Amino acid sequence: MKWFFEIFIMECKRVLSYRIDFWLQFGVVVCTEIGIAYYLWSSIFESEGVTSISGMSFEQILIYYAVVPFIVRLVKSSDDFGISREIYEGGINKYIIYPVSYSATKMIERAAFSTMGILQMIVGLAFLSFFIPIRDYLTLENFVVTVAFCGVSFLLYFYMCFCLEILAFWFDSVWSLGVMLRFVTMFFGGGMIPLAMFPDTWQSVLSYTPFPYLFSMPMRIFLGQANFSEIFKGVIVTSIWVLPIAALSYFILNRGFRRYTGVGI
Amino acid sequence: MTKYLKLYSHFLKFSLSNSLQFRFDFTFRILMDCIFYVVNIMFFKVIFAHTSLLGGWTEEQVMIFVSAHLIVDALQMTFFSNGAWMIPVYINKGDLDYYLLRPVSDLFFLCLREFALNSFVNLIIAVVISIYFLTTSTIDFEWWQILLFYLLILNGSYIHLLIRIITITPVFWTHSGRGLEMAFWTLERFAERPDTIYKGWLRYSLMFILPFIALCSFPTRILFGESLLEVLGYCIGISVLFTFVARFLWKAGLKSYSSASS
Amino acid sequence: MHSSFAKMIKVSQLTKTYRVYKKNPGLKGTLQALFKREWIDKVALDHVNLQIEPGEIVGLVGANGAGKTTLVKILSGIIHPTSGDVKVMGYTPFERKYAFRKQISLIMGQKAQLWWDLPAEDCFMLLKEIYEIPEDVYKKNLAHLVDALDVSRVMNIQIRRLSLGERMKMELIAALLHQPKVVFLDEPTIGLDMTAQKAVRDFILDYREKHKPIMILTSHYMEDIKQLAKRLVIIKDGKFVYDGDLDTIAKKHHTHKLINVTLGMNAEIDPNKLLLKHSEIIQRDGDLLKFKVDANEVTAALNEIFKTLEVSDVKVEEEDIADVIENLMKRNR
């Protein structure tokens, strides 16, 4: 089990050694998100003359858009097509020899990246709370539960992403598939608009998909909109989703490895 | 001029024969942008479930705006994106050397070398989407309004390239990464919403410092009976001004490139 | 020729310094660098003077980082000089006028100019448009070059799939299609195997005979310099330590000679145990022994050899010119 830990620490160090623009970069993302949301929603609230939309006040919406990039980062981790690149460039060769699981290694690497994201989130939110009344809505308890739930969402997204990336064994280039996954999960997972604003029929259809458990559920917990039984149910349903997707990814990976070594290196 | 046309015809020829080599990748990419289109349209569908006006525009008007945005995106992806993507890499690796030696404009070469056939398919789809929204709209348009609309969209994708080049130029001095280009791709999202929602200093910044609302928002205004001269003057003025800014920064960057290397 | 054009390349008091800053790795280093940067001035070229006449072919040698490539890049206009005066065919290179760019050519062995995803033929078509080469001239030049380098079989293959030798030949064609008046060759044979090296060298020699461009050549392989250059410039730490005729320097600095000895039939001497005062063995190949000896002590060395060894044949020859240059560089280091 020690290698587990070693890889984790190594990856954490790597993330910390990133250049300063990597960290600033994320700041630009958050500010843009808040800026656009502020103007878009204030224009809607103004023209409609309402105080809440789908049960969310202007303040809550603003907090939603300020926090959701952090949640997305925790859940998606570094989906930078590193796995497919390893397959194309042959970096995967060493895992055929090493006595460690390929998927586990990749998962630990990304978990480390996400863990660093928690630090980033704490610092970022502390800073943002000077401008946006985050503290009025957030309790420490909710914060901890949110981060914990992100762990489950992380697994869900990891296996979805992993399934697509290892298609690189068969296709010339799969980054476009990865980008499609980003678009779809961002929109239907609540990364672009709170899912509560979707028309009712859409929402009920979505509840039969894994998407709402990616970003929307953690956000609801963060804002204190989910009660205990909902959270509990969320964990169960997400886990049920993870199982078949993970099983699928192992199936694909096995076929892929077989095909890969069969062709010869 | 004929020299550049001839060169571009070669670029086209090479890109076409290269792009069909990877068929899966080719179709995936087209599909990818189609999903992008659907998500963008659905986003505003959701928004208009909660409001009747966005920044003074009706759903009909916003849908035409969205289609304008999709065309600008497809245009820059088709003509500039793949080529310009390599510029920071070349600068960092010192691979601009040969471009400096050729008796031909380096930016022409770097930005236009790659024509993306897959994005061209998307461009056609995006144009069809815009035609659909224009024809189903209850607003009456004059033919010249529609002509100007499309011309200003072309101009918008040119401004997109200019801003992108401007954000790449810091690489000449920092010698690492992609400069401010990643910030550019983030900030570009300001262009995805109608400009009428932005107020105050942000509005002025988006008009004159990082003129993202000149890409597709102002071109759409030409359809809605706004002051013709104002819109035209602004869009063309911005593209002229930023041509100079981009050229100036690029020249300065090249100078730094050639005095810093050994 | 008009006097001002008599010198095709004229460089006076050329200096190039560039600043690099030391950066410690990691986030901490980056933060430090934001506030306090330690700059180091590096002198790549230090007040050098150079004049080259039309048709000359100059070999530029020096250790890594001595300033060879910097000089070549300044002459071709890629780099701005820090100070001094540079004129190439009357142009100031770093102004990078199109008219100037059309008449020069640069080949860098370590940097490909051709587009990797295209076959050579397409690359050349592109260059034809770039340099606005008329159709008939293009056809004639290309046919001639392809023939001379014997690459007609691989013209339709993507550059990336070619062997290193073939790729270098393509680079040569690409560089010469527009018949440049000045050709800069920076390590043109680097990484090539012996056969390819020779093919490239033979081609360059032949091309030079026919077209008489100025050629400036840098190389690590002394064989290149020896075969191709008539004039030699040795750079050390940004300064020219030698600039002159290759033959002269060879004569002047021939400090050693080589003695080739064929041993007699019955010789059973272990050469490793031989102790000779005046010469040293540098090579042994069966009955053949090669000695290196100080040029002033040839007679003494021969006497000694005849005394100690059973010799059937002996030959004294000059030290190889490539070794001479190498020694010279070492001594100046």
Side-chain angles (χ1 to χ4, degrees):
Chain A
M1 279 314 263
K2 205 170 160 237
W3 63 272
F4 230 83
F5 212 67
E6 295 275 323
I7 294 174
F8 187 85
I9 299 291
M10 221 168 72
E11 190 63 15
C12 288
K13 278 188 185 157
R14 198 177 66 85
V15 178
L16 276 179
S17 74
Y18 276 158
R19 295 181 51 85
I20 195 159
D21 35 308
F22 169 82
W23 302 90
L24 291 179
Q25 175 75 48
F26 192 62
V28 177
V29 172
V30 176
C31 292
T32 307
E33 197 76 44
I34 299 173
I36 293 177
Y38 176 84
Y39 286 101
L40 185 86
W41 291 99
S42 60
S43 137
I44 294 171
F45 274 84
E46 214 171 274
S47 76
E48 292 300 294
V50 290
T51 53
S52 82
I53 291 175
S54 300
M56 290 176 88
S57 68
F58 181 66
E59 264 183 0
Q60 276 176 312
I61 291 178
L62 212 54
I63 294 172
Y64 190 98
Y65 281 99
V67 176
V68 87
F70 293 100
I71 299 290
V72 169
R73 164 146 294 190
L74 289 195
V75 174
K76 291 210 306 190
S77 187
S78 61
D79 60 337
D80 53 359
F81 311 110
I83 296 167
S84 51
R85 211 178 313 125
E86 264 182 352
I87 295 174
Y88 294 131
E89 291 168 4
I92 198 169
N93 283 340
K94 57 175 182 262
Y95 295 95
I96 299 172
I97 302 159
Y98 284 1
V100 295
S101 146
Y102 182 63
S103 53
T105 313
K106 291 294 124 183
M107 190 198 289
I108 293 162
E109 278 178 14
R110 292 198 177 175
F113 192 89
S114 284
T115 310
M116 292 293 107
I118 299 175
L119 290 180
Q120 215 172 7
M121 183 170 176
I122 293 169
V123 176
L125 292 185
F127 179 74
L128 284 173
S129 62
F130 286 110
F131 309 98
I132 302 165
I134 296 176
R135 276 172 295 184
D136 297 354
Y137 294 86
L138 181 67
T139 62
L140 183 65
E141 198 180 57
N142 279 348
F143 181 78
V144 173
V145 180
T146 306
V147 171
F149 194 92
C150 282
V152 195
S153 309
F154 165 83
L155 284 182
L156 181 60
Y157 190 87
F158 173 78
Y159 280 114
M160 286 174 148
C161 189
F162 194 67
C163 276
L164 288 182
E165 287 221 45
I166 54 182
L167 290 180
F169 283 116
W170 290 269
F171 300 117
D172 318 310
S173 164
V174 293
W175 69 265
S176 42
L177 289 177
V179 176
M180 280 184 233
L181 180 73
R182 276 185 206 171
F183 289 151
V184 171
T185 53
M186 276 303 273
F187 188 69
F188 292 112
M192 286 171 76
I193 317 177
L195 291 189
M197 295 188 184
F198 277 28
D200 292 340
T201 45
W202 293 22
Q203 285 192 52
S204 53
V205 172
L206 277 180
S207 67
Y208 295 102
T209 69
F211 300 123
Y213 303 99
L214 288 173
F215 320 123
S216 179
M217 192 68 193
M219 274 315 298
R220 281 162 45 80
I221 302 171
F222 188 96
L223 290 170
Q225 294 170 330
N227 57 34
F228 178 76
S229 69
E230 269 182 274
I231 299 170
F232 186 72
K233 191 184 144 226
V235 174
I236 301 292
V237 176
T238 314
S239 313
I240 292 172
W241 273 114
V242 169
L243 288 176
I245 300 174
L248 178 67
S249 78
Y250 282 115
F251 175 73
I252 300 175
L253 184 65
N254 270 330
R255 309 278 323 253
F257 262 133
R258 221 180 303 161
R259 177 190 155 93
Y260 189 67
T261 47
V263 173
I265 303 157
Chain B
M1 192 62 198
T2 51
K3 169 176 166 183
Y4 285 93
L5 282 177
K6 268 190 194 165
L7 270 176
Y8 195 72
S9 75
H10 282 288
F11 295 166
L12 267 182
K13 207 178 76 193
F14 303 148
S15 302
L16 294 188
S17 61
N18 273 349
S19 61
L20 286 169
Q21 275 181 354
F22 304 104
R23 271 171 303 145
F24 282 113
D25 187 39
F26 185 76
T27 22
F28 285 164
R29 285 187 197 208
I30 294 173
L31 197 63
M32 169 182 87
D33 278 346
C34 288
I35 291 179
F36 175 71
Y37 297 171
V38 172
V39 164
N40 263 283
I41 291 169
M42 289 216 292
F43 176 86
F44 285 103
K45 287 277 177 205
V46 174
I47 295 288
F48 275 99
H50 301 280
T51 184
S52 51
L53 284 179
L54 185 59
W57 279 355
T58 63
E59 187 173 342
E60 259 182 14
Q61 290 174 309
V62 168
M63 285 303 157
I64 294 169
F65 159 77
V66 173
S67 69
H69 163 233
L70 303 184
I71 300 176
V72 168
D73 186 68
L75 276 171
Q76 64 89 9
M77 292 279 284
T78 306
F79 294 100
F80 312 126
S81 198
N82 291 355
W85 182 254
M86 294 308 289
I87 297 177
V89 182
Y90 289 157
I91 298 172
N92 281 325
K93 291 208 311 205
D95 280 352
L96 282 186
D97 289 3
Y98 283 115
Y99 291 93
L100 299 182
L101 291 174
R102 308 267 182 238
V104 67
S105 153
D106 33 40
L107 272 180
F108 169 83
F109 217 103
L110 289 165
C111 296
L112 287 169
R113 228 280 271 174
E114 305 277 347
F115 174 89
L117 183 62
N118 54 303
S119 301
F120 186 71
V121 175
N122 287 117
L123 177 60
I124 294 169
I125 297 171
V127 171
V128 170
I129 293 174
S130 77
I131 292 171
Y132 171 78
F133 284 130
L134 283 173
T135 49
T136 54
S137 154
T138 53
I139 312 166
D140 285 326
F141 305 113
E142 303 284 340
W143 65 269
W144 55 265
Q145 279 180 310
I146 293 181
L147 181 71
L148 281 177
F149 170 65
Y150 284 113
L151 285 177
L152 285 182
I153 284 177
L154 283 177
N155 185 56
S157 72
Y158 172 64
I159 296 174
H160 185 279
L161 174 70
L162 292 176
I163 307 177
R164 185 171 175 190
I165 291 171
I166 289 170
T167 56
I168 287 173
T169 49
V171 178
F172 280 115
W173 291 276
T174 62
H175 303 291
S176 71
R178 310 194 65 87
L180 299 171
E181 199 196 350
M182 294 329 276
F184 162 78
W185 288 112
T186 306
L187 293 169
E188 187 219 16
R189 295 195 37 222
F190 279 105
E192 297 176 7
R193 309 284 176 256
D195 72 278
T196 39
I197 64 171
Y198 304 122
K199 307 244 153 40
W201 61 269
L202 183 67
R203 182 177 180 76
Y204 287 108
S205 312
L206 290 175
M207 276 184 88
F208 300 108
I209 299 172
L210 288 169
F212 283 117
I213 59 185
L215 306 191
C216 39
S217 206
F218 262 78
T220 312
R221 283 160 166 252
I222 210 106
L223 293 169
F224 305 145
E226 304 224 9
S227 163
L228 185 68
L229 280 181
E230 234 169 73
V231 175
L232 271 181
Y234 167 70
C235 288
I236 293 164
I238 285 293
S239 70
V240 171
L241 178 69
F242 275 76
T243 302
F244 283 113
V245 175
R247 276 182 66 101
F248 174 78
L249 286 173
W250 179 257
K251 285 254 162 71
L254 281 185
K255 199 161 175 218
S256 153
Y257 176 88
S258 61
S259 19
S261 60
S262 62
Chain C
M1 206 175 276
H2 192 271
S3 64
S4 67
F5 283 99
K7 303 278 183 279
M8 287 282 271
I9 293 181
K10 199 167 179 222
V11 170
S12 47
Q13 296 296 306
L14 173 65
T15 298
K16 171 73 186 176
T17 55
Y18 57 99
R19 300 178 86 190
V20 285
Y21 74 91
K22 275 208 323 220
K23 177 182 161 292
N24 298 319
L27 188 65
K28 201 176 146 213
T30 312
L31 282 174
Q32 274 175 351
L34 272 182
F35 299 107
K36 205 183 93 197
R37 278 186 179 179
E38 271 182 76
W39 290 95
I40 302 165
D41 275 329
K42 281 204 160 184
V43 183
L45 288 172
D46 190 1
H47 297 91
V48 298
N49 298 300
L50 181 68
Q51 298 197 349
I52 301 175
E53 318 265 346
E56 264 194 297
I57 178 161
V58 179
L60 220 53
V61 299
N64 280 334
K68 290 172 297 183
T69 302
T70 306
L71 180 59
V72 166
K73 283 190 175 176
I74 288 177
L75 290 176
S76 57
I78 294 174
I79 306 187
H80 280 237
T82 309
S83 66
D85 205 39
V86 186
K87 284 272 185 294
V88 176
M89 296 174 293
Y91 294 97
T92 306
F94 64 81
E95 286 173 359
R96 301 197 297 113
K97 295 225 167 74
Y98 283 176
F100 168 72
R101 296 195 222 175
K102 274 191 176 181
Q103 299 181 58
I104 61 153
S105 190
L106 168 63
I107 300 167
M108 290 185 270
Q110 282 147 315
K111 236 179 230 179
Q113 64 170 316
L114 294 172
W115 298 272
W116 281 57
D117 50 344
L118 299 180
E121 197 155 31
D122 288 348
C123 291
F124 299 151
M125 279 301 283
L126 208 52
L127 289 169
K128 169 184 177 264
E129 304 301 344
I130 291 173
Y131 287 99
E132 295 173 286
I133 309 169
E135 184 73 32
D136 50 331
V137 179
Y138 169 77
K139 274 196 175 141
K140 207 182 87 213
N141 285 353
L142 184 64
H144 175 74
L145 291 167
V146 167
D147 187 51
L149 283 162
D150 190 27
V151 285
S152 56
R153 290 163 297 109
V154 287
M155 286 291 281
N156 290 314
I157 299 173
Q158 275 186 331
I159 298 289
R160 74 165 106 217
R161 296 183 203 281
L162 297 180
S163 74
L164 199 58
E166 287 165 338
R167 211 181 297 149
M168 188 35 79
K169 288 177 179 177
M170 295 302 184
E171 294 274 329
L172 281 169
I173 297 179
L176 300 173
L177 266 178
H178 60 286
Q179 294 177 309
K181 292 208 179 73
V182 180
V183 183
F184 302 101
L185 299 141
D186 193 14
E187 306 280 356
T189 56
I190 201 159
L192 301 184
D193 62 36
M194 288 301 184
T195 345
Q197 277 189 27
K198 188 172 178 321
V200 166
R201 266 198 297 267
D202 288 348
F203 169 78
I204 294 174
L205 263 182
D206 184 56
Y207 183 86
R208 202 195 84 85
E209 274 312 304
K210 290 203 179 91
H211 298 86
K212 307 246 186 286
I214 282 194
M215 276 190 176
I216 295 183
L217 166 80
T218 81
S219 184
H220 265 91
Y221 299 109
M222 289 312 137
E223 199 60 27
D224 282 351
I225 305 289
K226 179 181 135 191
Q227 300 265 342
L228 298 174
K230 296 251 156 57
R231 178 174 159 194
L232 178 73
V233 173
I234 302 177
I235 309 186
K236 196 207 154 206
D237 294 337
K239 288 193 173 111
F240 291 175
V241 291
Y242 180 85
D243 177 2
D245 205 49
L246 188 63
D247 293 336
T248 324
I249 195 173
K251 281 198 192 91
K252 201 166 141 200
H253 294 273
H254 261 151
T255 51
H256 291 83
K257 292 205 174 185
L258 301 173
I259 305 177
N260 290 311
V261 174
T262 312
L263 293 178
M265 295 293 266
N266 307 318
E268 274 181 26
I269 295 157
D270 184 356
N272 294 326
K273 288 186 187 150
L274 263 180
L275 272 174
L276 295 173
K277 236 170 37 195
H278 300 287
S279 55
E280 59 170 324
I281 300 177
I282 54 170
Q283 204 184 332
R284 177 170 195 207
D285 186 11
D287 287 344
L288 269 168
L289 288 177
K290 190 175 252 186
F291 295 88
K292 187 177 170 189
V293 53
D294 196 293
N296 301 320
E297 298 184 1
V298 179
T299 333
L302 279 174
N303 277 332
E304 199 176 38
I305 288 167
F306 281 124
K307 256 183 231 162
T308 38
L309 295 170
E310 193 179 325
V311 176
S312 78
D313 189 21
V314 70
K315 205 168 82 197
V316 180
E317 59 182 31
E318 302 269 302
E319 192 184 8
D320 193 80
I321 196 164
D323 295 328
V324 174
I325 302 169
E326 212 130 14
N327 281 335
L328 206 64
M329 276 165 59
K330 269 190 207 132
R331 219 181 321 144
N332 277 305
R333 206 168 279 164

